[in-house]
Amino acid sequence: MTTTTLPTASEAAPAATPSGAGKDAAAIRLSAAGLIRSEWIKLRSVRSTVWSYALLVAFSLGLAAIMSGSLDLQGADVSMVPAANQAIFVAQASTFGVFFGQLIVAVLGVLTISGEYSTGMIRSTLAAVPNRLPALWAKAAVLFVATFLVGLVSTVGSYLVSSAVLSGKGLHASLFDPAVLFPVLGGALYLGLIAVFALGIGTIVRSGAGGIAVVLGIVLLVPIVLQMIPAAWATSLLPYLVSNAGINMFGLMSFSQVPIEWWVDLLVVLGWLAAGLAGAAVLLKRRDA
Amino acid sequence: MIQAQSLTKRYGSKTAVDAVDFTVQPGKVTGLLGPNGAGKSTTMRMIVGLDQPSAGSVTVNGKPYREHAAPLREVGVLLDAKAVHTGRSARNHLLAMAATHGIPAGRVDEVIELTGLASVARKRVGGFSLGMGQRLGIAAALLGDPAVLILDEPVNGLDPEGVQWVRRLMRHLAAEGRTVLLSSHLMSEMALTADHLIMLGRGRVIADAPVADIIGGAGSNTVRVRSPQATRLATLLAQPDVTVTAGEQDTLEVTGISAVEIGEQAAGAGIVLHELTGIGASLEDAYMALTQNEVEYRTGGSAELQEAAR
């Protein structure tokens, strides 16, 4: 480290020392790894992140418990239920929280960037990373990984909760049954992706309230509005909405008459994400900070 | 070293910075001085790439800021004390900034110590006073041990002890051979801290010279005269290139003629003088003289008010 002696706040006469660059000065430069680390520090050091993730896990586990606990078999013989159907029910209980979780992580995604705009932090960020886009990519990567992992904790946790409750009622399914594992992974993946989509929107809008309104509008409102339009085109658009594709992807609900492959849904979600991030990148690069 | 060539920034039809050329030399403290709206902050923001110039260019150590591999090692910048997320602690803010460049955590603690923030480093920035925010901004600017420092109104909100510290720090950094550019609208501060001044008015450079030259060049020929026959004296002194302003209680302020000549003319006419003083100009006088026509938001003035009301 360079050890130039500068006058400290309490010290009087400054000792003039050469502004010597230390031995490891060459190692001090912008790097992708550094930007990732920086964004990770930023993400974990604000309360909104901690709150959002805690809520996500709590909601998921709670909803899994409610959904599996409220299943009333009315004395039916569960041994007659095919294993495939048992697995589907366990999967539904395990991923039910994703419905609500997507709203929480969407808000978090917007706040991750709008918080920088509202506080002026963005100027510090962009002064350190004057090419700007690497900072956006790092932010997106960190947000995706963190949200995916917390999402996984909540879906796997929800599986543990619901399978514990349901096994008491005679319903069994292994986590590694593809009918369970795919939704559990897919739900977490979708949470990570929708958070990054929201980050893109937040970067475009630059305001917390505005960004949240736009994202929740796209996630919640547009599907409802389209469903209310009694026209064929509206119905045929439904599977291509980001939230519908995301939910279809982990097999909780279908919005299309013909079954859609999970990878098509994934592409649809990625398409929305790419559009959001592309808009964010263009504007971030072009606008004055 | 910072070099600006025809640097211009327009916002719509309004030109905030109008084709300015200047060079900020290493080894001294350069002050960027000007009234509100003169383009000081915009100029600083363009240097570090936060604002894109509409025309012209500006380089830092020979290259546009964004082309440096380690921008924080080149330039440390304090644009305003509020460029920090209020929900994060000071230390975490600095750690996040440092991480981008792989600056070790030890350096973070060093700048925290240096700026006197140790006792509040783990507190959330939202609760900071203006002065503490200012110290945090300076800490962030020093993180990369940069060759160039750009500080927008660094003493804003600091207590007298803090002001003195910043002044010493700036002088010290310049003495180490660094380039130090600071802006202020406080002339007294500039007179004490800066070696060289770049004065901006309405987006143009209206002076670019050593502080001593700017002070010396303004108002050096103003003379204050007090006489019971002030009115007669004023008539006597009236010449095309002489300005006489009546002050309070028989006092005249005269420019364009030396104290010696005034004394001789008064003696010739038999006018009694009670005072004859050459007024040493302050930086403030120089500043007022230079920026007289450049103040964008003058108090009063119906045209400006109407414009502001629109």
mmCIF file of all heavy atoms in Angstrom, chain A residues 208-246:
data_model
loop_
_atom_site.group_PDB
_atom_site.id
_atom_site.type_symbol
_atom_site.label_atom_id
_atom_site.label_comp_id
_atom_site.label_asym_id
_atom_site.label_seq_id
_atom_site.Cartn_x
_atom_site.Cartn_y
_atom_site.Cartn_z
ATOM 1 N N GLY A 208 -37.612 5.038 -7.759
ATOM 2 C CA GLY A 208 -38.144 3.875 -7.057
ATOM 3 C C GLY A 208 -39.621 3.674 -7.305
ATOM 4 O O GLY A 208 -40.052 2.612 -7.764
ATOM 5 N N ALA A 209 -40.383 4.723 -7.052
ATOM 6 C CA ALA A 209 -41.833 4.608 -7.190
ATOM 7 C C ALA A 209 -42.215 4.298 -8.640
ATOM 8 O O ALA A 209 -43.015 3.394 -8.907
ATOM 9 C CB ALA A 209 -42.496 5.913 -6.742
ATOM 10 N N GLY A 210 -41.612 5.024 -9.569
ATOM 11 C CA GLY A 210 -41.923 4.820 -10.975
ATOM 12 C C GLY A 210 -41.529 3.425 -11.444
ATOM 13 O O GLY A 210 -42.297 2.741 -12.125
ATOM 14 N N GLY A 211 -40.341 3.012 -11.053
ATOM 15 C CA GLY A 211 -39.844 1.703 -11.472
ATOM 16 C C GLY A 211 -40.708 0.579 -10.934
ATOM 17 O O GLY A 211 -41.056 -0.363 -11.656
ATOM 18 N N ILE A 212 -41.080 0.688 -9.661
ATOM 19 C CA ILE A 212 -41.911 -0.349 -9.053
ATOM 20 C C ILE A 212 -43.273 -0.386 -9.744
ATOM 21 O O ILE A 212 -43.809 -1.462 -10.046
ATOM 22 C CB ILE A 212 -42.057 -0.105 -7.525
ATOM 23 C CG1 ILE A 212 -40.714 -0.394 -6.838
ATOM 24 C CG2 ILE A 212 -43.152 -0.981 -6.935
ATOM 25 C CD1 ILE A 212 -40.636 0.060 -5.395
ATOM 26 N N ALA A 213 -43.831 0.787 -10.036
ATOM 27 C CA ALA A 213 -45.127 0.843 -10.711
ATOM 28 C C ALA A 213 -45.050 0.156 -12.075
ATOM 29 O O ALA A 213 -45.920 -0.651 -12.438
ATOM 30 C CB ALA A 213 -45.578 2.295 -10.870
ATOM 31 N N VAL A 214 -44.005 0.453 -12.828
ATOM 32 C CA VAL A 214 -43.888 -0.134 -14.166
ATOM 33 C C VAL A 214 -43.718 -1.651 -14.079
ATOM 34 O O VAL A 214 -44.396 -2.417 -14.776
ATOM 35 C CB VAL A 214 -42.699 0.499 -14.935
ATOM 36 C CG1 VAL A 214 -42.440 -0.250 -16.231
ATOM 37 C CG2 VAL A 214 -42.971 1.971 -15.218
ATOM 38 N N VAL A 215 -42.824 -2.088 -13.200
ATOM 39 C CA VAL A 215 -42.548 -3.527 -13.117
ATOM 40 C C VAL A 215 -43.785 -4.286 -12.626
ATOM 41 O O VAL A 215 -44.174 -5.305 -13.210
ATOM 42 C CB VAL A 215 -41.346 -3.797 -12.183
ATOM 43 C CG1 VAL A 215 -41.210 -5.292 -11.926
ATOM 44 C CG2 VAL A 215 -40.075 -3.260 -12.808
ATOM 45 N N LEU A 216 -44.426 -3.787 -11.572
ATOM 46 C CA LEU A 216 -45.606 -4.493 -11.072
ATOM 47 C C LEU A 216 -46.734 -4.436 -12.106
ATOM 48 O O LEU A 216 -47.528 -5.363 -12.221
ATOM 49 C CB LEU A 216 -46.058 -3.921 -9.724
ATOM 50 C CG LEU A 216 -45.068 -4.130 -8.573
ATOM 51 C CD1 LEU A 216 -45.713 -3.785 -7.238
ATOM 52 C CD2 LEU A 216 -44.526 -5.551 -8.539
ATOM 53 N N GLY A 217 -46.788 -3.353 -12.860
ATOM 54 C CA GLY A 217 -47.762 -3.264 -13.940
ATOM 55 C C GLY A 217 -47.551 -4.377 -14.954
ATOM 56 O O GLY A 217 -48.505 -5.057 -15.360
ATOM 57 N N ILE A 218 -46.306 -4.561 -15.329
ATOM 58 C CA ILE A 218 -46.008 -5.598 -16.323
ATOM 59 C C ILE A 218 -46.239 -6.995 -15.748
ATOM 60 O O ILE A 218 -46.788 -7.873 -16.403
ATOM 61 C CB ILE A 218 -44.543 -5.448 -16.819
ATOM 62 C CG1 ILE A 218 -44.397 -4.154 -17.640
ATOM 63 C CG2 ILE A 218 -44.132 -6.649 -17.653
ATOM 64 C CD1 ILE A 218 -42.978 -3.805 -18.023
ATOM 65 N N VAL A 219 -45.845 -7.191 -14.508
ATOM 66 C CA VAL A 219 -45.937 -8.521 -13.905
ATOM 67 C C VAL A 219 -47.381 -8.862 -13.516
ATOM 68 O O VAL A 219 -47.852 -9.980 -13.736
ATOM 69 C CB VAL A 219 -45.005 -8.609 -12.674
ATOM 70 C CG1 VAL A 219 -45.270 -9.863 -11.860
ATOM 71 C CG2 VAL A 219 -43.557 -8.576 -13.127
ATOM 72 N N LEU A 220 -48.087 -7.904 -12.959
ATOM 73 C CA LEU A 220 -49.411 -8.198 -12.391
ATOM 74 C C LEU A 220 -50.571 -7.754 -13.266
ATOM 75 O O LEU A 220 -51.530 -8.492 -13.484
ATOM 76 C CB LEU A 220 -49.563 -7.460 -11.048
ATOM 77 C CG LEU A 220 -48.963 -8.085 -9.806
ATOM 78 C CD1 LEU A 220 -49.307 -7.207 -8.608
ATOM 79 C CD2 LEU A 220 -49.506 -9.491 -9.603
ATOM 80 N N LEU A 221 -50.463 -6.507 -13.748
ATOM 81 C CA LEU A 221 -51.629 -5.875 -14.352
ATOM 82 C C LEU A 221 -51.877 -6.311 -15.791
ATOM 83 O O LEU A 221 -52.997 -6.649 -16.171
ATOM 84 C CB LEU A 221 -51.436 -4.349 -14.291
ATOM 85 C CG LEU A 221 -52.684 -3.556 -13.953
ATOM 86 C CD1 LEU A 221 -53.235 -3.993 -12.611
ATOM 87 C CD2 LEU A 221 -52.363 -2.064 -13.944
ATOM 88 N N VAL A 222 -50.801 -6.313 -16.584
ATOM 89 C CA VAL A 222 -50.954 -6.633 -18.002
ATOM 90 C C VAL A 222 -51.600 -8.013 -18.212
ATOM 91 O O VAL A 222 -52.518 -8.145 -19.030
ATOM 92 C CB VAL A 222 -49.594 -6.507 -18.737
ATOM 93 C CG1 VAL A 222 -49.730 -6.956 -20.180
ATOM 94 C CG2 VAL A 222 -49.097 -5.081 -18.669
ATOM 95 N N PRO A 223 -51.189 -9.060 -17.462
ATOM 96 C CA PRO A 223 -51.849 -10.362 -17.647
ATOM 97 C C PRO A 223 -53.353 -10.286 -17.375
ATOM 98 O O PRO A 223 -54.152 -10.874 -18.117
ATOM 99 C CB PRO A 223 -51.158 -11.253 -16.615
ATOM 100 C CG PRO A 223 -49.853 -10.607 -16.350
ATOM 101 C CD PRO A 223 -50.077 -9.139 -16.514
ATOM 102 N N ILE A 224 -53.735 -9.532 -16.340
ATOM 103 C CA ILE A 224 -55.163 -9.440 -15.993
ATOM 104 C C ILE A 224 -55.920 -8.711 -17.099
ATOM 105 O O ILE A 224 -56.983 -9.140 -17.546
ATOM 106 C CB ILE A 224 -55.336 -8.717 -14.640
ATOM 107 C CG1 ILE A 224 -54.702 -9.567 -13.531
ATOM 108 C CG2 ILE A 224 -56.806 -8.450 -14.343
ATOM 109 C CD1 ILE A 224 -54.643 -8.874 -12.179
ATOM 110 N N VAL A 225 -55.339 -7.611 -17.556
ATOM 111 C CA VAL A 225 -55.999 -6.825 -18.604
ATOM 112 C C VAL A 225 -56.167 -7.661 -19.876
ATOM 113 O O VAL A 225 -57.234 -7.691 -20.485
ATOM 114 C CB VAL A 225 -55.183 -5.536 -18.896
ATOM 115 C CG1 VAL A 225 -55.701 -4.847 -20.143
ATOM 116 C CG2 VAL A 225 -55.237 -4.602 -17.700
ATOM 117 N N LEU A 226 -55.110 -8.379 -20.231
ATOM 118 C CA LEU A 226 -55.184 -9.193 -21.453
ATOM 119 C C LEU A 226 -56.236 -10.290 -21.320
ATOM 120 O O LEU A 226 -56.932 -10.616 -22.281
ATOM 121 C CB LEU A 226 -53.821 -9.827 -21.768
ATOM 122 C CG LEU A 226 -52.827 -8.971 -22.549
ATOM 123 C CD1 LEU A 226 -51.637 -9.794 -22.971
ATOM 124 C CD2 LEU A 226 -53.486 -8.347 -23.779
ATOM 125 N N GLN A 227 -56.348 -10.836 -20.121
ATOM 126 C CA GLN A 227 -57.329 -11.890 -19.914
ATOM 127 C C GLN A 227 -58.755 -11.373 -20.037
ATOM 128 O O GLN A 227 -59.670 -12.105 -20.387
ATOM 129 C CB GLN A 227 -57.135 -12.533 -18.537
ATOM 130 C CG GLN A 227 -56.326 -13.808 -18.638
ATOM 131 C CD GLN A 227 -55.884 -14.328 -17.291
ATOM 132 O OE1 GLN A 227 -55.885 -13.610 -16.294
ATOM 133 N NE2 GLN A 227 -55.503 -15.592 -17.258
ATOM 134 N N MET A 228 -58.911 -10.081 -19.755
ATOM 135 C CA MET A 228 -60.259 -9.514 -19.814
ATOM 136 C C MET A 228 -60.674 -9.146 -21.224
ATOM 137 O O MET A 228 -61.844 -8.902 -21.483
ATOM 138 C CB MET A 228 -60.338 -8.282 -18.902
ATOM 139 C CG MET A 228 -60.503 -8.696 -17.446
ATOM 140 S SD MET A 228 -60.330 -7.393 -16.201
ATOM 141 C CE MET A 228 -60.416 -5.901 -17.080
ATOM 142 N N ILE A 229 -59.701 -9.076 -22.113
ATOM 143 C CA ILE A 229 -60.036 -8.738 -23.501
ATOM 144 C C ILE A 229 -60.501 -10.006 -24.217
ATOM 145 O O ILE A 229 -59.749 -10.970 -24.337
ATOM 146 C CB ILE A 229 -58.815 -8.135 -24.223
ATOM 147 C CG1 ILE A 229 -58.364 -6.840 -23.519
ATOM 148 C CG2 ILE A 229 -59.143 -7.862 -25.690
ATOM 149 C CD1 ILE A 229 -57.091 -6.255 -24.074
ATOM 150 N N PRO A 230 -61.755 -10.027 -24.680
ATOM 151 C CA PRO A 230 -62.279 -11.265 -25.274
ATOM 152 C C PRO A 230 -61.900 -11.423 -26.739
ATOM 153 O O PRO A 230 -62.746 -11.676 -27.581
ATOM 154 C CB PRO A 230 -63.791 -11.100 -25.097
ATOM 155 C CG PRO A 230 -64.008 -9.620 -25.137
ATOM 156 C CD PRO A 230 -62.752 -8.947 -24.676
ATOM 157 N N ALA A 231 -60.644 -11.265 -27.054
ATOM 158 C CA ALA A 231 -60.221 -11.399 -28.441
ATOM 159 C C ALA A 231 -59.146 -12.464 -28.529
ATOM 160 O O ALA A 231 -58.405 -12.701 -27.578
ATOM 161 C CB ALA A 231 -59.681 -10.067 -28.957
ATOM 162 N N ALA A 232 -59.095 -13.084 -29.687
ATOM 163 C CA ALA A 232 -58.158 -14.199 -29.865
ATOM 164 C C ALA A 232 -56.715 -13.728 -29.715
ATOM 165 O O ALA A 232 -55.878 -14.415 -29.140
ATOM 166 C CB ALA A 232 -58.366 -14.842 -31.234
ATOM 167 N N TRP A 233 -56.445 -12.513 -30.224
ATOM 168 C CA TRP A 233 -55.051 -12.044 -30.166
ATOM 169 C C TRP A 233 -54.585 -11.861 -28.737
ATOM 170 O O TRP A 233 -53.444 -12.150 -28.387
ATOM 171 C CB TRP A 233 -54.864 -10.764 -30.981
ATOM 172 C CG TRP A 233 -55.665 -9.570 -30.467
ATOM 173 C CD1 TRP A 233 -56.883 -9.169 -30.912
ATOM 174 C CD2 TRP A 233 -55.284 -8.661 -29.425
ATOM 175 N NE1 TRP A 233 -57.303 -8.062 -30.207
ATOM 176 C CE2 TRP A 233 -56.337 -7.719 -29.296
ATOM 177 C CE3 TRP A 233 -54.172 -8.545 -28.602
ATOM 178 C CZ2 TRP A 233 -56.306 -6.688 -28.354
ATOM 179 C CZ3 TRP A 233 -54.136 -7.516 -27.662
ATOM 180 C CH2 TRP A 233 -55.201 -6.600 -27.553
ATOM 181 N N ALA A 234 -55.510 -11.398 -27.885
ATOM 182 C CA ALA A 234 -55.151 -11.181 -26.490
ATOM 183 C C ALA A 234 -54.827 -12.510 -25.822
ATOM 184 O O ALA A 234 -53.837 -12.638 -25.089
ATOM 185 C CB ALA A 234 -56.285 -10.471 -25.762
ATOM 186 N N THR A 235 -55.663 -13.502 -26.091
ATOM 187 C CA THR A 235 -55.440 -14.822 -25.499
ATOM 188 C C THR A 235 -54.128 -15.420 -25.987
ATOM 189 O O THR A 235 -53.397 -16.047 -25.227
ATOM 190 C CB THR A 235 -56.605 -15.760 -25.868
ATOM 191 O OG1 THR A 235 -57.831 -15.026 -25.729
ATOM 192 C CG2 THR A 235 -56.628 -16.979 -24.992
ATOM 193 N N SER A 236 -53.850 -15.187 -27.278
ATOM 194 C CA SER A 236 -52.645 -15.813 -27.813
ATOM 195 C C SER A 236 -51.376 -15.112 -27.317
ATOM 196 O O SER A 236 -50.294 -15.668 -27.368
ATOM 197 C CB SER A 236 -52.688 -15.819 -29.342
ATOM 198 O OG SER A 236 -52.732 -14.489 -29.806
ATOM 199 N N LEU A 237 -51.534 -13.891 -26.822
ATOM 200 C CA LEU A 237 -50.364 -13.183 -26.283
ATOM 201 C C LEU A 237 -50.016 -13.649 -24.872
ATOM 202 O O LEU A 237 -48.884 -13.541 -24.425
ATOM 203 C CB LEU A 237 -50.636 -11.670 -26.248
ATOM 204 C CG LEU A 237 -50.376 -10.886 -27.527
ATOM 205 C CD1 LEU A 237 -50.674 -9.409 -27.293
ATOM 206 C CD2 LEU A 237 -48.930 -11.053 -27.983
ATOM 207 N N LEU A 238 -51.034 -14.155 -24.163
ATOM 208 C CA LEU A 238 -50.860 -14.479 -22.746
ATOM 209 C C LEU A 238 -49.610 -15.287 -22.409
ATOM 210 O O LEU A 238 -48.901 -14.952 -21.458
ATOM 211 C CB LEU A 238 -52.110 -15.200 -22.215
ATOM 212 C CG LEU A 238 -53.290 -14.284 -21.856
ATOM 213 C CD1 LEU A 238 -54.500 -15.127 -21.473
ATOM 214 C CD2 LEU A 238 -52.912 -13.347 -20.708
ATOM 215 N N PRO A 239 -49.302 -16.354 -23.171
ATOM 216 C CA PRO A 239 -48.125 -17.153 -22.781
ATOM 217 C C PRO A 239 -46.816 -16.393 -22.907
ATOM 218 O O PRO A 239 -45.793 -16.850 -22.395
ATOM 219 C CB PRO A 239 -48.145 -18.324 -23.759
ATOM 220 C CG PRO A 239 -49.488 -18.316 -24.389
ATOM 221 C CD PRO A 239 -49.986 -16.917 -24.340
ATOM 222 N N TYR A 240 -46.842 -15.250 -23.592
ATOM 223 C CA TYR A 240 -45.581 -14.548 -23.836
ATOM 224 C C TYR A 240 -45.349 -13.382 -22.878
ATOM 225 O O TYR A 240 -44.437 -12.599 -23.042
ATOM 226 C CB TYR A 240 -45.514 -14.086 -25.301
ATOM 227 C CG TYR A 240 -45.636 -15.275 -26.221
ATOM 228 C CD1 TYR A 240 -46.824 -15.552 -26.889
ATOM 229 C CD2 TYR A 240 -44.565 -16.164 -26.356
ATOM 230 C CE1 TYR A 240 -46.939 -16.681 -27.680
ATOM 231 C CE2 TYR A 240 -44.673 -17.294 -27.144
ATOM 232 C CZ TYR A 240 -45.867 -17.550 -27.805
ATOM 233 O OH TYR A 240 -45.962 -18.671 -28.567
ATOM 234 N N LEU A 241 -46.216 -13.261 -21.901
ATOM 235 C CA LEU A 241 -45.974 -12.259 -20.864
ATOM 236 C C LEU A 241 -44.940 -12.810 -19.894
ATOM 237 O O LEU A 241 -44.898 -14.009 -19.632
ATOM 238 C CB LEU A 241 -47.275 -11.944 -20.124
ATOM 239 C CG LEU A 241 -48.372 -11.342 -21.007
ATOM 240 C CD1 LEU A 241 -49.646 -11.140 -20.202
ATOM 241 C CD2 LEU A 241 -47.907 -10.041 -21.631
ATOM 242 N N VAL A 242 -44.123 -11.931 -19.368
ATOM 243 C CA VAL A 242 -42.981 -12.405 -18.586
ATOM 244 C C VAL A 242 -43.415 -13.227 -17.374
ATOM 245 O O VAL A 242 -42.860 -14.296 -17.104
ATOM 246 C CB VAL A 242 -42.047 -11.226 -18.179
ATOM 247 C CG1 VAL A 242 -42.727 -10.244 -17.238
ATOM 248 C CG2 VAL A 242 -40.755 -11.740 -17.558
ATOM 249 N N SER A 243 -44.452 -12.775 -16.673
ATOM 250 C CA SER A 243 -44.841 -13.513 -15.470
ATOM 251 C C SER A 243 -45.514 -14.837 -15.826
ATOM 252 O O SER A 243 -45.288 -15.849 -15.168
ATOM 253 C CB SER A 243 -45.747 -12.655 -14.585
ATOM 254 O OG SER A 243 -46.745 -12.034 -15.367
ATOM 255 N N ASN A 244 -46.332 -14.827 -16.894
ATOM 256 C CA ASN A 244 -46.973 -16.076 -17.302
ATOM 257 C C ASN A 244 -45.950 -17.097 -17.767
ATOM 258 O O ASN A 244 -46.010 -18.277 -17.402
ATOM 259 C CB ASN A 244 -47.993 -15.813 -18.418
ATOM 260 C CG ASN A 244 -49.230 -15.092 -17.882
ATOM 261 O OD1 ASN A 244 -49.366 -14.919 -16.671
ATOM 262 N ND2 ASN A 244 -50.115 -14.685 -18.777
ATOM 263 N N ALA A 245 -45.005 -16.646 -18.563
ATOM 264 C CA ALA A 245 -43.964 -17.559 -19.044
ATOM 265 C C ALA A 245 -43.151 -18.085 -17.867
ATOM 266 O O ALA A 245 -42.823 -19.267 -17.798
ATOM 267 C CB ALA A 245 -43.056 -16.841 -20.041
ATOM 268 N N GLY A 246 -42.860 -17.186 -16.925
ATOM 269 C CA GLY A 246 -42.062 -17.596 -15.770
ATOM 270 C C GLY A 246 -42.785 -18.630 -14.931
ATOM 271 O O GLY A 246 -42.189 -19.629 -14.500
#
